[in-house]
Amino acid sequence: MAVEEQEQVLRSTRVVTPEGERAASVVVAGGTITAVLAHDAPPPAGARLTDLGDDVLLPGLVDTHVHVNDPGRAEWEGFGTATAAAAAGGITTVVDMPLNSIPPTTTTAHLEVKRAAARGRVHVDTGFWGGAVPGNAGDLRPLHDAGVFGFKCFLLHSGVDEFPQLNSDELGAALAELAPFDGLLIVHAEDPLLIEAAPRRPGPRYADFLASRPQAAEDTAIAGLIALARRFGARIHILHLSSASALPLIGAARRDGVRVTVETCPHFLTLTAEEVPDGATEFKCCPPIREAANQDALWRALADGTIDCVVSDHSPSTADLKARDTGDFAAAWGGISSLQLGLSAVWTEARKRGHTPADLARWMSAGPAALAGLDGTKGAIAPGHDADFAVLAPEETFTVEPRRLLHRNPLTAYAGRTLHGVVRATYLRGEMIARNGVLAVSEPAGRLLTRPAPVPRT
């Protein structure tokens, strides 16, 4: 039997399965989970056994919100560095956003450019979102047929001119185009008129930046999106929710049958406006990090299922674009790099609030896998799924040192923080690809993914 085909068993007293956490032995063959057995079950004859002791065996994380920026802005990030950081952080699948690369992923020709840039360079499995921009409604179905997982749009300026926002008429046209083939529209939801009317005071005060991105801008945009989704019978997903006051709108819409899902991000769950130092532009993101009371409400929504998943919104840039010399929040690029740190950051706060590793698996593996339609193969430790795992030492701590991060530009809002949860190892289809924060393989092992065909309803 070839080495890569040899059966192996990963054993732990803390295996997180869809039914909950239990002691178990997970059998892997050909890159797939073939069985989940009792902890003391004898390994199959000839199988290689790895005993993880009391470390937690999680399903590999799925991050559906990653800005790789490659090609075109690879100095911000790149497929090699982004996926290496993902692997080090326990992430085994990423879905790349369609903007900040040049060209953006708004046509099938541009998608092929993106795939060519990624081919042979990804350390984790990698898929792609398409983009919905003015004038490309006719490109949406071809992109869908070519395998993108859905379509991102903005309702206000995206930050890069080559990916313009949709106005209300264009947004309706995109949803009308997507609804017949059940395409998914994922939306940066902030209302442009309310943002334009908000006070703008350039400078280093975080309070001034926060005032320029009011919660009402998110709430109004989400209310409008829900109305359009209801009108067209379309699917929508709210990206990087930071405003907890929008949660009742989302809950009510779901009860009415509107197909709306929502994500939030590690920085909204672990960082608060009250602690952001003036001039610390590494904390800038849009929508912004809000106050502690708002954060508490986001955690409650995670617990009750109103928020479906937690993903990074990894949106890096070069250090100069963060305007660190002036500390001017208005001038700085908005984005927080957290691919390598998201699991530990979320666990650090989750454990304080009484949550368990099973909750992590639901929010950061199963939830995003379901969003992307990958839940048949990703996001669970169950027979028939890919043997993708993250091994977490939950009670161990480490202090974030930017120089140890594998992101191309290691500037991070988490610098100097002590986090709980050390990612001991990451496995992709049964192969260990990272160990203790460094790559464990010489060649990238990731595959390029396409949107799976939906399973017919019976």
Side-chain angles (χ1 to χ4, degrees):
M1 181 179 292
V3 172
E4 63 269 17
E5 296 176 352
Q6 180 186 5
E7 277 190 304
Q8 62 174 312
V9 175
L10 280 76
R11 175 182 289 166
S12 170
T13 63
R14 305 186 67 182
V15 177
V16 178
T17 73
E19 293 75 38
E21 181 183 314
R22 63 187 175 96
S25 292
V26 181
V27 184
V28 174
T32 301
I33 299 169
T34 58
V36 181
L37 306 176
H39 183 265
D40 58 356
R48 184 172 73 253
L49 173 64
T50 301
D51 195 323
L52 303 172
D54 296 329
D55 285 348
V56 177
L57 187 66
L58 292 162
L61 271 58
V62 178
D63 193 337
T64 51
H65 196 147
V66 179
H67 294 268
V68 178
N69 310 329
D70 193 1
R73 292 190 174 94
E75 69 275 14
W76 294 14
E77 191 62 277
F79 282 107
T81 51
T83 58
I91 298 166
T92 52
T93 303
V94 301
V95 186
D96 174 54
M97 283 293 167
L99 73 155
N100 299 346
S101 59
I102 301 173
T105 316
T106 52
T107 68
T108 55
H110 292 176
L111 174 63
E112 287 311 309
V113 172
K114 180 70 71 79
R115 284 177 171 159
R119 195 167 288 117
R121 297 176 55 210
V122 293
H123 294 277
V124 302
D125 287 355
T126 302
F128 303 94
W129 295 107
V133 296
N136 86 325
D139 292 295
L140 302 184
R141 183 59 191 257
L143 278 164
H144 177 84
D145 292 343
V148 301
F149 287 82
F151 302 90
K152 180 173 186 178
C153 73
F154 279 76
L155 306 184
L156 73 175
H157 195 277
S158 70
V160 292
D161 292 338
E162 67 272 6
F163 199 94
Q165 71 268 30
L166 299 180
N167 63 32
S168 57
D169 290 340
E170 292 161 341
L171 181 63
L175 286 169
E177 184 71 22
L178 295 175
F181 58 88
D182 207 32
L184 174 65
L185 190 69
I186 64 174
V187 187
H188 182 124
E190 289 181 286
D191 182 82
L193 296 179
L194 289 178
I195 295 292
E196 289 173 10
R200 294 188 181 186
R201 299 184 183 91
R205 293 186 70 243
Y206 186 75
D208 289 338
F209 168 65
L210 185 60
S212 74
R213 314 294 292 215
Q215 287 185 246
E218 284 189 81
D219 302 348
T220 299
I222 290 169
L225 284 166
I226 288 170
L228 285 171
R230 191 191 310 271
R231 174 183 169 191
F232 290 105
R235 288 194 298 147
I236 60 170
H237 177 73
I238 308 302
L239 297 167
H240 45 47
L241 181 75
S242 95
S243 172
S245 55
L247 291 164
L249 301 172
I250 295 165
R254 286 178 172 167
R255 290 189 291 274
D256 289 344
V258 179
R259 293 187 297 165
V260 54
T261 52
V262 61
E263 69 187 40
T264 194
C265 304
H267 40 278
F268 299 138
L269 297 171
T270 62
L271 307 173
T272 62
E274 292 91 339
E275 65 184 324
V276 177
D278 287 345
T281 54
E282 61 269 29
F283 288 84
K284 179 181 176 178
C285 56
C286 298
I289 295 163
R290 301 193 188 279
E291 298 85 354
N294 182 84
Q295 183 183 93
D296 291 341
L298 293 177
W299 277 102
R300 289 192 293 272
L302 268 177
D304 67 23
T306 305
I307 294 176
D308 299 273
C309 53
V310 178
V311 291
S312 69
D313 189 14
H314 178 73
S315 185
S317 72
T318 53
D320 60 298
L321 292 178
K322 276 295 195 179
R324 300 192 73 204
D325 54 339
T326 64
D328 185 352
F329 278 96
W333 176 260
I336 290 181
S337 298
S338 62
L339 263 176
Q340 192 168 336
L341 300 170
L343 174 57
S344 301
V346 173
W347 174 241
T348 298
E349 187 66 23
R351 63 189 292 279
K352 295 178 187 175
R353 295 172 181 264
H355 294 291
T356 68
D359 296 321
L360 289 181
R362 185 172 70 254
W363 302 330
M364 304 183 81
S365 297
L371 173 69
L374 290 169
D375 44 331
T377 56
K378 303 288 188 182
I381 297 179
H385 281 64
D386 289 349
D388 297 349
F389 309 111
V391 180
L392 184 72
E395 299 308 315
E396 294 198 19
T397 63
F398 67 100
T399 299
V400 177
E401 299 179 62
R403 64 185 178 84
R404 295 185 179 276
L405 299 178
L406 302 186
H407 310 144
R408 176 154 292 165
N409 293 285
L411 179 68
T412 174
Y414 295 99
R417 289 176 176 264
T418 297
L419 301 180
H420 272 82
V422 171
V423 180
R424 287 285 185 218
T426 306
Y427 290 79
L428 180 68
R429 286 184 298 279
E431 179 182 12
M432 184 190 292
I433 58 170
R435 184 178 182 87
N436 293 324
V438 299
L439 293 175
V441 292
S442 58
E443 296 295 328
R447 297 175 181 173
L448 301 187
L449 303 178
T450 57
R451 176 189 46 78
V455 176
R457 294 180 180 176
T458 58

